[in-house]
């Protein structure tokens, strides 16, 4: 039978049963779109922070690919087909954007090691990781190297020293600076950090608001990056690569809680706009919390997940030990995803006309 | 190309009855597929000549296989019943042409693997002579509903959309019927047999629908047509108007409704949701909602059966795919070998291509081209590498949720996949795997290119097999228990009898001789009593073992 032979010749994965139509999509395609969506943010960040962003991204990507290939090799998996799925690059870019610009090379390599080798590959690789790799790497760095992790470049908008390309590379690799500058001259606290320390000193929010670190909505520079991320995220939603549930609810959760507290004591608590456009809020809402592998899959589950991330972010930012809380909020909620999935199954076609649960319509 | 498949949920309003709540009527999920319908829908139906040999399977419908009532060597005529229904959900089988029964034996049937089932092989004589019982009937509408239903059953009519459920069973509703849906939604790509039927034989469909209305007495009849078939819709509307103009009052209850082009809107349950907003409860039949749904092809076949008296001996099917000289729709006698059909459509045998029965979404790749065309064969599709292909390799699931978005049943295919892979069958039941209609939407959109439906089929058959095994184990356990009780009873009875006899003996023979001598005598005299307890002791250990086995099987 010619037919049997033809099916046998093809490799083992080929299954001769319906449907006989192949998907036009692929994982690498999905990931490529996510990378495209991050491009505006990278450009704006480059504009705000200079070469330090570029070194971050390049080293992170190189590190991620290196660890990914190495782990795939050790785990005896096909290297090319898995490395080309671009998922490691997405993790690397997220990490590169989340870390302080001009981070030293070893920081980036350690971060990507924890993200890719430990949080992702040791758990079984793409699709099997319980925790968001980028955030796992970030959290490990934040705990291990608090000094480096809080040394944020001051945005170029502020009148501080500006390093050229070669000076940046020299700093990142050899920890060398030109003679006339010290590290402190071009770093500053992040707006969120600034807000915390000022408010804990008893300075009111309206005073913080007018300080030079703060721009129109939130921190100078950071607000523009957040806007660019928002743009890319909306494009992803439009492309239906992410559903609206998580981004909307993360932002709503954070917005509602910060709004309530700001309304209660405007001088002690920052307004929602400040929170929404500070730190990694937008990155979290559109790119990190929506990481499909570690988020719930049911619509209702996503909604609960998103709200809780928003709430946790606000709580940790306001009363926790770290200025930005996105990483911990996401990691904490990652643990709940399987449970949420279990209890929020949508009502299937023809099941009793129960009202709850059927939210995907 | 397939890239144009948009993963898109059905947000469009159904165009029918806009007054009602639009939210209730969305079919959730589903995908848009490129149709490729113009390959085969441009020409009217051609009739294929009768082949020299017909292979007619006894089971072409859902339910019990029919029982043959002809012998090898007997002369049969077209339309003659050659196998009788065997049970309530069953259907008779007719000779598709005149000739001689050459064999009743297992032959390959259209299936993905080389499965053989009993078929009646007829060597045709080329005369194509109808059996004398096939007589046209002038006024079938005058017959009673019961009579009509009996004739539909005798004509062997089963759902020609592909499900082949015996129609007569569907037409025996237990509750009052509000809507009769005539399903002309051919949502699978490539298939056009219903489309051309509606274009060129609209009258037969309408007359068939009116006959059906006579049986189930619905308040209204809806002919559902996908909105990518404007000609078919026009033709149906024209036919309805003709009937109205001719003064057929019943035609006033019929109207054509367009439904959005989305796969799988043509599935019975999905169509009911789109048209009426109601959902058929899981595990029950549409008539419990007061709805009966039949395919247009079936309706036309019912017209043939009742007006012309012709049982279901042929069907219209699409033969299509690139690489065919003459794609189109053909009226093919049931039992015609598939390679005969393909040769007529200009399929070069040396092309090493697979043939799919049905559409690309839910069809089966046919293992053996010698298999016959059956009642379910609505399409033969040449699997061409350019459009119809399956991915070579898959990646791990990234839980992106695209599959859940397109699932028309709102299942969570990624969870099903996960549990099917780890064979967690109880979990699968929790995630309602039984409700999966195997439509394939999830697999088509999956970026990881996972063979999801394959896993689901595997898991379903596994669950079924386990259920069967459990039932068997239960039955044998019960049987064993009953047997033990029985044996125990016999033993007790025997002991009682023995005791009684002893007592009698004691009374008769007071304490003179020793009992040791008397015992052998008594056991010889009543041999049956002596033997059975022994046999029993021999039998009881294996008995206990059996029971244990049954219990472990239950677990
Ligand atoms: S579409 Fe494929 S990759 Fe995405 S969740 Fe479903 S099974 Fe997983
Ligand atoms: S094949 Fe089953 S799980 Fe997949 S979309 Fe269709 S009904 Fe849903």
């Amino acid at each position: 039978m010619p037919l049997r032979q033809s099916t046998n010749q093809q490799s083992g994965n080929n299954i001769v049963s319906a449907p006989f139509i192949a998907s036009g999509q692929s994982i690498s395609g999905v990931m490529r779109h996510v990378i495209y969506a991050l491009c505006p943010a990278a450009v704006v960040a480059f504009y705000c922070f200079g070469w330090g962003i570029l070194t971050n991204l390049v080293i992170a990507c190189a590190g991620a690919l290196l660890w990914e290939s190495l782990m795939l090799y050790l785990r005896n998996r096909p290297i090319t087909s898995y490395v080309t799925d671009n998922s490691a690059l997405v993790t690397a870019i997220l990490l590169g954007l989340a870390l302080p610009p001009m981070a030293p090379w070893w920081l980036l390599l350690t971060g990507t090691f924890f993200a890719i080798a430990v949080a992702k590959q040791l758990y079984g690789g793409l699709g099997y990781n319980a925790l968001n790799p980028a955030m796992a790497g970030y959290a490990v760095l934040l705990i291990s190297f608090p000094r480096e992790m809080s040394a944020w470049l001051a945005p170029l908008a502020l009148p501080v020293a500006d390093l050229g390309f070669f000076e940046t590379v020299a700093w990142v690799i050899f920890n060398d600076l030109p003679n006339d500058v010290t590290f402190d001259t071009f770093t500053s606290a992040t707006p969120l950090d600034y807000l915390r320390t000022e408010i804990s000193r008893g300075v009111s929010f309206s005073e913080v608001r007018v300080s030079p670190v703060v721009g129109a909505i939130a921190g100078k520079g950071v607000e523009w990056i957040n806007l660019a991320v928002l743009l890319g995220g909306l494009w992803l939603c439009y492309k239906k690569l992410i559903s609206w549930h998580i981004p909307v609810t993360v932002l709503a959760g954070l917005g509602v809680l910060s709004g309530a507290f700001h309304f209660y004591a405007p001088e002690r608590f920052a307004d929602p706009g400040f929170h929404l456009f500070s730190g990694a809020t937008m990155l979290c809402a559109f790119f990190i919390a929506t990481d499909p592998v570690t988020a719930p899959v049911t619509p209702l589950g996503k909604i609960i997940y998103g709200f809780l991330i928003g709430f946790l972010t606000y709580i940790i930012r306001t009363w926790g030990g770290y200025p930005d809380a996105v990483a911990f909020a996401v990691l904490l909620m990652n643990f709940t995803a399987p449970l949420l999935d279990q209890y929020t199954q949508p009502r299937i076609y023809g099941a009793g006309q129960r009202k709850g649960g059927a939210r995907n319509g | 190309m397939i890239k144009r498949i948009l993963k898109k949920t059905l947000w469009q309003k159904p165009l029918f009855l806009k007054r009602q709540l639009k939210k209730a009527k969305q079919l959730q999920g589903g995908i848009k597929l490129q149709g490729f319908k113009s390959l085969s829908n441009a020409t009217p139906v051609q009739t294929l000549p009768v082949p020299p040999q017909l292979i007619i399977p006894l089971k072409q419908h859902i339910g019990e296989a029919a029982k043959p009532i002809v012998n090898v060597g007997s002369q049969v005529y077209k339309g003659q019943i050659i196998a009788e229904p065997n049970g309530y959900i069953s259907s008779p089988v007719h000779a598709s042409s005149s000739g001689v029964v050459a064999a009743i034996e297992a032959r390959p049937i259209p299936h993905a693997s080389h499965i053989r089932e009993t078929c009646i092989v007829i060597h045709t004589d080329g005369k194509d002579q109808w059996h004398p019982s096939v007589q046209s009937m002038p006024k079938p509408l005058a017959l009673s509903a019961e009579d009509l239903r009996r004739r539909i059953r005798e004509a062997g009519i089963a759902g020609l959309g592909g499900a082949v459920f015996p129609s007569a069973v569907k037409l025996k509703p237990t509750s009052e019927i509000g809507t009769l849906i005539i399903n002309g939604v051919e949502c699978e790509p490539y298939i056009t047999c219903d489309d051309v039927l509606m274009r060129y034989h609209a009258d037969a469909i309408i007359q068939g629908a009116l006959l059906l209305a006579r049986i189930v007495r619905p308040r209204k009849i809806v002919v559902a047509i996908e909105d990518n078939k404007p000609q078919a819709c026009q033709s149906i509307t024209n036919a309805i108007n003709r009937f109205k103009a001719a003064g057929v009052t019943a035609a006033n209850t019929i109207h054509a409704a367009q439904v959005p082009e989305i796969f799988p809107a043509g599935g019975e349950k999905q169509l009911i949701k789109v048209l009426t907003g109601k959902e058929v409860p899981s595990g029950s039949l549409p008539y419990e909602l007061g709805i009966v749904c039949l395919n247009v092809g079936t309706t036309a076949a019912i017209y043939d059966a009742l007006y012309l008296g012709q049982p279901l001996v042929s069907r219209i099917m699409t033969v299509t795919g690139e690489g065919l000289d003459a794609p189109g729709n053909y009226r093919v006698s049931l039992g015609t070998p598939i390679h005969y059909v393909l040769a007529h459509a200009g399929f070069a045998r040396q092309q090493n291509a697979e043939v799919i029965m049905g559409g690309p979404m839910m069809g089966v790749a046919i293992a053996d081209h010698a298999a016959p065309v059956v009642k379910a064969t609505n399409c033969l599709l040449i699997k061409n590498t350019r459009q119809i292909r399956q991915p070579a390799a898959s990646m791990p699931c990234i839980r992106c949720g695209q599959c859940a978005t397109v699932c028309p049943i709102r299942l969570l295919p990624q969870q099903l996949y996960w549990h099917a892979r780890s064979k967690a069958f109880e979990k699968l039941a929790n995630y309602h795997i039984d409700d999966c209609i195997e439509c394939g939407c999830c697999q088509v959109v999956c970026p990881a290119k996972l063979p999801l439906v394959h896993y689901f089929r595997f898991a379903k058959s596994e669950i079924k097999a386990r259920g069967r095994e459990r039932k068997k184990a239960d039955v044998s356990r019960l049987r064993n228990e009953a047997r033990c009780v029985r044996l125990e009873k016999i033993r007790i009875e025997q002991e009682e009898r023995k005791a009684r006899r002893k007592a009698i003996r004691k009374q008769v023979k007071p304490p003179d001789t020793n009992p040791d001598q008397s015992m052998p005598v008594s056991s010889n005299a009543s041999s049956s009593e002596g033997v059975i307890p022994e046999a029993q002791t021999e039998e009881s250990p294996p008995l206990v073992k059996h029971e244990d086995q049954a219990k472990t099987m239950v677990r």
Side-chain angles (χ1 to χ4, degrees):
Chain A
M1 279 278 112
L3 190 84
R4 280 286 100 181
Q5 280 164 10
S6 75
T7 56
N8 286 345
Q9 274 159 13
Q10 283 146 3
S11 62
N13 220 330
N14 198 320
I15 283 143
V16 197
S17 69
F20 299 98
I21 296 178
S23 154
Q25 295 195 46
S26 62
I27 292 186
S28 64
V30 171
M31 296 293 170
R32 209 171 44 237
H33 278 90
V34 176
I35 295 176
Y36 294 157
L38 283 167
C39 282
V43 170
V44 175
F46 176 69
Y47 177 76
C48 290
F49 292 115
W51 295 106
I53 280 290
L54 212 64
T55 53
N56 261 16
L57 292 178
V58 169
I59 298 175
C61 287
L65 292 180
L66 173 78
W67 299 124
E68 178 102 333
S69 324
L70 192 69
M71 289 306 288
L72 286 170
Y73 173 75
L74 291 179
R75 294 180 56 223
N76 219 351
R77 295 294 146 97
I79 295 182
T80 33
S81 65
Y82 278 91
V83 168
T84 51
D85 69 18
N86 295 339
S87 62
L89 282 184
V90 171
T91 303
I93 293 175
L94 288 175
L95 198 61
L97 288 176
L99 292 184
M102 259 177 82
W105 62 272
W106 50 267
L107 193 72
L108 288 160
L109 283 194
T110 321
T112 47
F113 174 78
F114 275 101
I116 301 287
V118 178
K120 182 174 166 194
Q121 291 291 346
L122 284 188
Y123 274 88
L126 177 68
Y128 293 91
N129 46 309
L131 299 177
N132 185 310
M135 287 304 100
Y138 184 89
V140 167
L141 293 182
L142 196 57
I143 294 166
S144 324
F145 310 105
R147 202 179 69 86
E148 282 79 6
M149 289 298 286
S150 55
W152 268 78
L153 283 197
L156 298 182
L158 298 179
V160 287
D162 176 17
L163 292 183
F165 177 65
F166 291 107
E167 285 104 336
T168 309
V169 172
W171 162 254
V172 167
I173 308 232
F174 303 109
N175 204 2
D176 257 353
L177 281 177
N179 293 333
D180 52 334
V181 277
T182 61
F183 188 60
D184 292 338
T185 47
F186 54 87
T187 58
S188 76
T190 65
L192 277 173
D193 215 355
Y194 181 74
L195 175 80
R196 266 168 66 82
T197 38
E198 292 301 292
I199 283 188
S200 65
R201 282 191 346 189
V203 180
S204 75
F205 176 62
S206 46
E207 284 171 71
V208 174
R209 201 82 183 65
V210 295
S211 82
V213 189
V214 177
I217 324 170
K220 251 192 201 137
V222 177
E223 58 193 10
W224 293 111
I225 299 178
N226 267 299
L227 264 178
V229 175
L230 175 65
L231 209 72
L234 289 178
W235 180 72
L236 275 190
C237 283
Y238 168 74
K239 279 283 196 183
K240 295 238 168 91
L241 289 173
I242 55 177
S243 68
W244 57 268
H245 304 84
I246 294 181
V248 166
T249 49
V250 168
L251 297 181
L254 182 59
V256 163
L257 210 58
S258 56
F261 279 93
H262 181 70
F263 179 76
Y264 171 68
E267 290 307 310
R268 271 200 297 142
F269 298 100
D271 61 17
F274 190 91
H275 274 288
L276 290 181
F277 288 90
S278 286
T281 308
M282 290 293 169
L283 210 58
C284 164
F286 286 95
F287 292 90
I288 296 170
T290 54
D291 166 27
V293 179
T294 53
V297 288
T298 62
L300 183 61
K302 285 179 183 172
I303 287 172
I304 299 175
Y305 178 82
F307 266 117
L308 287 179
I309 286 185
F311 287 167
L312 277 176
T313 306
Y314 184 76
I315 290 169
I316 304 178
R317 268 185 191 175
T318 315
W319 296 287
Y322 292 94
D324 202 355
V326 161
F328 295 107
V330 170
L331 290 176
L332 275 175
M333 290 309 295
N334 281 169
F335 288 114
T336 68
L339 217 64
L340 285 175
D341 273 344
Q342 173 93 19
Y343 291 106
T344 56
Q345 284 184 48
R347 183 184 68 79
I348 65 160
Y349 178 105
Q353 306 286 325
R354 187 161 58 83
K355 280 280 158 6
R359 285 293 168 76
N360 53 350
Chain B
M1 277 255 300
I2 314 298
K3 257 195 183 155
R4 266 172 255 161
I5 298 164
L6 305 174
K7 29 160 201 13
K8 199 168 170 189
T9 41
L10 176 62
W11 297 111
Q12 296 111 308
K13 278 174 258 176
L15 302 164
F16 159 66
L17 278 188
K18 279 188 192 149
R19 266 166 291 135
Q20 290 192 11
L21 255 183
K22 55 185 172 175
K23 179 151 187 350
K25 290 218 191 152
Q26 286 154 6
L27 165 66
Q28 281 167 346
I31 50 177
K32 271 205 181 241
L33 294 166
Q34 207 191 341
F36 300 106
K37 304 250 184 193
S38 54
L39 262 177
S40 56
N41 69 359
T43 48
V45 182
Q46 302 162 44
T47 303
L48 209 72
V50 175
Q53 193 188 50
L54 289 166
I55 306 155
I56 305 177
L58 292 177
K59 187 172 189 295
Q60 300 184 35
H61 47 263
I62 287 183
E64 290 295 316
K67 272 199 311 265
I69 53 167
V70 288
N71 295 318
V72 175
S74 38
Q75 168 75 35
V76 292
Y77 294 96
K78 188 175 185 179
Q80 179 183 343
I81 294 188
I82 53 176
E84 278 180 341
N86 185 10
Y88 179 58
I89 301 185
S90 185
S91 193
V93 173
H94 302 78
S96 323
S97 186
S98 56
V100 177
V101 176
I104 301 178
E105 62 185 16
R107 289 287 186 106
I109 54 159
H111 196 274
S113 53
H114 290 260
I115 286 186
R116 289 164 170 268
E117 274 185 10
T118 315
C119 301
I120 297 179
V121 182
I122 298 174
H123 282 171
T124 54
D125 55 14
K127 292 188 202 126
D128 208 23
Q129 201 178 346
W130 283 100
H131 192 257
S133 70
V134 175
Q135 297 288 343
S136 67
M137 206 184 324
K139 274 195 174 356
L141 278 172
L143 294 174
S144 73
E146 197 45 55
D147 220 9
L148 289 172
R149 191 155 51 228
R150 186 178 52 77
R151 278 164 194 263
I152 288 174
R153 179 173 164 93
E154 279 168 7
I157 290 170
L160 296 183
V164 283
F165 189 78
S167 303
V169 179
K170 247 187 185 176
L171 292 171
K172 198 172 173 74
T174 48
S175 51
E176 201 184 314
I177 296 302
T179 316
L180 170 66
I181 298 175
I182 307 295
N183 184 350
V185 183
E186 221 168 13
C187 53
E188 280 245 25
Y190 289 99
I191 308 180
T192 55
C193 58
D194 290 349
D195 188 7
V196 293
L197 184 75
M198 289 188 284
R199 285 193 199 189
Y200 301 109
H201 302 278
D203 283 3
I205 296 171
I206 301 301
Q207 272 178 298
L210 292 175
L211 278 170
L212 288 172
R214 170 99 184 110
I215 302 177
V216 296
R217 304 196 175 282
R219 275 198 297 282
K220 61 173 186 269
I221 307 174
V222 181
V223 184
I225 304 167
E226 234 178 353
D227 58 12
N228 62 349
K229 301 189 188 84
Q231 283 113 318
C233 190
Q234 195 54 49
S235 148
I236 290 283
T237 320
N238 290 347
I240 295 171
N241 290 339
R242 266 201 305 282
F243 277 90
K244 276 185 196 159
V248 183
T249 44
N252 290 328
T253 56
I254 308 187
H255 65 270
Q258 292 207 331
V259 300
E261 177 198 354
I262 197 142
F263 182 86
E268 187 175 75
K269 291 183 168 185
Q270 283 67 40
L271 184 61
I272 287 172
K273 169 88 176 168
V274 171
L275 286 178
T276 66
K278 292 182 192 159
E279 292 187 358
V280 183
S282 155
S284 57
L285 290 169
Y287 61 61
E288 287 166 32
L289 292 176
I291 296 168
V292 168
C293 183
L294 279 122
N295 172 269
V296 283
T298 320
T299 315
I302 285 171
Y303 164 81
D304 286 348
L306 295 180
Y307 276 91
L308 312 178
Q310 297 175 357
L312 186 60
V313 291
S314 64
R315 67 157 296 149
I316 298 175
M317 58 184 279
T318 309
V319 185
T320 187
E322 302 209 334
L324 277 183
D325 294 340
N329 284 283
Y330 294 90
R331 183 171 273 283
V332 182
S333 302
L334 299 177
T336 306
I338 282 170
H339 59 70
Y340 185 84
V341 180
L342 292 176
H344 269 264
F347 173 66
R349 195 61 215 276
Q350 55 274 25
Q351 279 176 275
N352 192 7
E354 286 178 36
V355 174
I356 297 162
M357 180 177 114
M361 293 297 283
M362 297 173 81
V364 289
I366 290 175
D368 197 334
H369 290 197
V373 168
V374 291
K375 289 176 186 172
T377 314
N378 51 0
C379 178
L380 287 179
L381 171 60
I382 308 300
K383 187 173 163 187
N384 165 302
T385 41
R386 274 206 293 134
Q387 283 130 11
I388 313 261
R389 67 206 153 91
Q390 283 179 312
S394 54
M395 298 285 288
C397 168
I398 53 166
R399 296 170 30 101
C400 63
Q402 309 249 351
C403 48
T405 317
V406 298
C407 178
I409 312 290
R410 275 172 258 142
L411 299 171
L412 297 171
Q414 69 278 60
Q415 307 291 64
L416 290 176
Y417 162 72
W418 184 265
H419 294 308
R421 246 173 68 116
S422 53
K423 305 204 177 143
F425 293 116
E426 267 106 73
K427 285 263 175 54
L428 281 173
N430 285 348
Y431 281 102
H432 308 286
I433 192 164
D434 290 334
D435 287 284
C436 168
I437 55 169
E438 296 174 21
C439 65
C441 292
C442 49
Q443 184 169 339
V444 167
V445 298
C446 175
K449 303 186 190 299
L450 289 165
L452 297 169
V453 183
H454 186 78
Y455 275 100
F456 301 161
R457 271 192 212 113
F458 159 76
K460 276 183 175 176
S461 63
E462 197 80 341
I463 289 173
K464 222 183 257 167
R466 278 173 185 227
R468 261 202 307 273
E469 215 160 77
R470 183 171 310 163
K471 216 183 241 164
K472 224 161 67 192
D474 278 350
V475 167
S476 62
R477 187 170 48 83
L478 285 181
R479 227 182 259 151
N480 265 325
E481 275 170 8
R483 186 154 176 231
C484 287
V485 169
R486 211 166 53 232
L487 290 176
E488 180 69 16
K489 217 165 95 185
I490 292 176
R491 200 175 57 82
I492 291 171
E493 269 174 17
Q494 280 166 352
E495 268 171 14
E496 270 175 7
R497 227 180 298 166
K498 220 189 260 170
R500 229 181 301 141
R501 190 156 316 150
K502 243 182 202 163
I504 292 170
R505 215 174 279 143
K506 266 181 193 161
Q507 280 177 358
V508 172
K509 258 189 188 176
D512 58 12
T513 48
N514 62 22
D516 289 348
Q517 274 182 342
S518 70
M519 272 311 282
V521 178
S522 78
S523 71
N524 278 345
S526 56
S527 61
S528 63
E529 280 169 39
V531 171
I532 287 177
E534 265 174 38
Q536 199 183 317
T537 46
E538 260 175 30
E539 231 181 62
S540 46
L543 252 184
V544 173
K545 222 157 118 200
H546 272 305
E547 202 182 8
D548 274 355
Q549 268 175 356
K551 269 185 186 153
T552 48
M553 270 158 92
V554 170
R555 250 170 252 138

